[in-house]
Amino acid sequence: MRNIKLTRQERAIEDSLLKGEYLNVNKDEFISIADAIAARKKDAVLNIRVNSRDLVSIKHKAGRLGIRYQTFISEVIHRIAQAN
């Protein structure tokens, strides 16, 4: 058998598989998950000017959530865009 050198990420995936951390899902659920991931793909760039105090507040709130402020802003925009 050939000795294959895995990357760090590939080793982490293999370890997770061996530990049983992945779950089998049916085809419909898999498609639903894949669609949700695709909906989160960022494929456009937006440049916008904002009030510096607002930006400080946004950065603070994102920090409390443990995420980057750009991710936080993107999530807020996504939620607003999806709201009825």
Side-chain angles (χ1 to χ4, degrees):
M1 188 162 141
R2 225 168 53 168
N3 189 7
I4 300 172
K5 184 171 173 110
L6 300 177
T7 66
R8 186 176 304 149
Q9 183 181 16
E10 290 168 336
R11 279 194 308 272
I13 292 169
E14 181 182 48
D15 291 343
S16 294
L17 281 169
L18 294 173
K19 291 177 187 174
E21 294 176 354
Y22 288 99
L23 302 174
N24 288 327
V25 295
N26 64 38
K27 184 177 179 180
D28 291 336
E29 190 173 358
F30 178 82
I31 291 171
S32 174
I33 292 167
D35 289 344
I37 292 169
R40 293 286 196 251
K41 181 180 179 209
K42 285 135 180 99
D43 57 358
V45 175
L46 172 68
N47 294 311
I48 184 171
R49 293 187 180 274
V50 296
N51 181 288
S52 61
R53 286 179 280 169
D54 291 343
L55 184 57
V56 169
S57 177
I58 288 168
K59 286 181 177 183
H60 179 71
K61 289 176 182 180
R64 284 196 323 234
L65 294 170
I67 59 175
R68 297 180 313 171
Y69 76 95
Q70 296 99 330
T71 303
F72 180 69
I73 292 170
S74 179
E75 183 63 25
V76 169
I77 291 170
H78 178 74
R79 289 183 185 197
I80 291 169
Q82 298 303 312
N84 291 329

